[in-house]
Amino acid sequence: MNVDIAPTTGHTGPVRHFSIRLSATARGARLARHLSAEQIASWGWPYDSEANRTASLLVAELAANAAVHGRVTGRDFRLRLTLHPEDATLRIELTDARPDRRPPAPGTLRPAVSDTESGRGLLLVEALASHWGTTGGDPYTKTVWCEVALR
């Protein structure tokens, strides 16, 4: 299910949403992680739970990528969390202003070179998320998304 488009089926019932626009900076990425941890805690997964820590790490990695690789001066990125309570699945979406800079497709990531300081974020996303991918809803943005089971 790791495809270039977001799945539209598989979840039924009520959902909970959280969405915010943040500056495409390191500060915005850090705030994305903190706000997502707070929101997930308010939905019933405390800060010190493994589910909250995993989801916060995924947000941090995707937000850092949006701030570094998706940055366009004067444009923000959007964080959107969608909780599907019936199966405790959290969908994390980061939308940035660089549709021309798409990450490699799921399943095609190469291991990072051992002496570099970067290049491991999407490997973590691939290892921790049940599904992930990218979507391009319009010619001005792209969304990198992932889903994680909180239970």
Side-chain angles (χ1 to χ4, degrees), residues 43-45 50-52 83-90 148-151:
W43 285 338
W45 287 272
E50 183 176 339
N52 194 313
L83 175 65
H84 298 274
E86 75 281 354
D87 60 359
T89 299
L90 179 69
V148 62
L150 297 178
R151 289 201 175 116

Side-chain angles (χ1 to χ4, degrees), residues 48-71:
D48 61 347
S49 68
E50 183 176 339
N52 194 313
R53 287 191 303 264
T54 299
S56 296
L57 176 62
L58 291 170
V59 169
E61 293 301 336
L62 295 181
N65 284 350
V68 173
H69 305 292
R71 179 179 169 82

Side-chain angles (χ1 to χ4, degrees), residues 97-149:
R98 293 297 303 261
D100 57 319
R101 289 185 144 182
R102 296 175 73 93
T108 65
L109 298 174
R110 287 178 269 156
V113 179
S114 62
D115 61 347
T116 61
E117 293 183 13
S118 62
R120 293 169 183 81
L122 286 178
L123 291 169
L124 284 172
V125 172
E126 189 159 78
L128 297 174
S130 55
H131 312 298
W132 77 278
T134 60
T135 60
D138 60 48
Y140 308 106
T141 63
K142 77 164 173 303
T143 300
V144 181
W145 60 270
C146 69
E147 291 187 356
V148 62

Side-chain angles (χ1 to χ4, degrees), residues 16-20 32 35-36 39 43 79-83:
R16 296 179 185 161
H17 295 284
F18 173 79
S19 182
I20 190 167
L35 292 172
S36 64
Q39 186 61 54
W43 285 338
L79 165 67
R80 181 176 173 92
L81 304 176
T82 304
L83 175 65

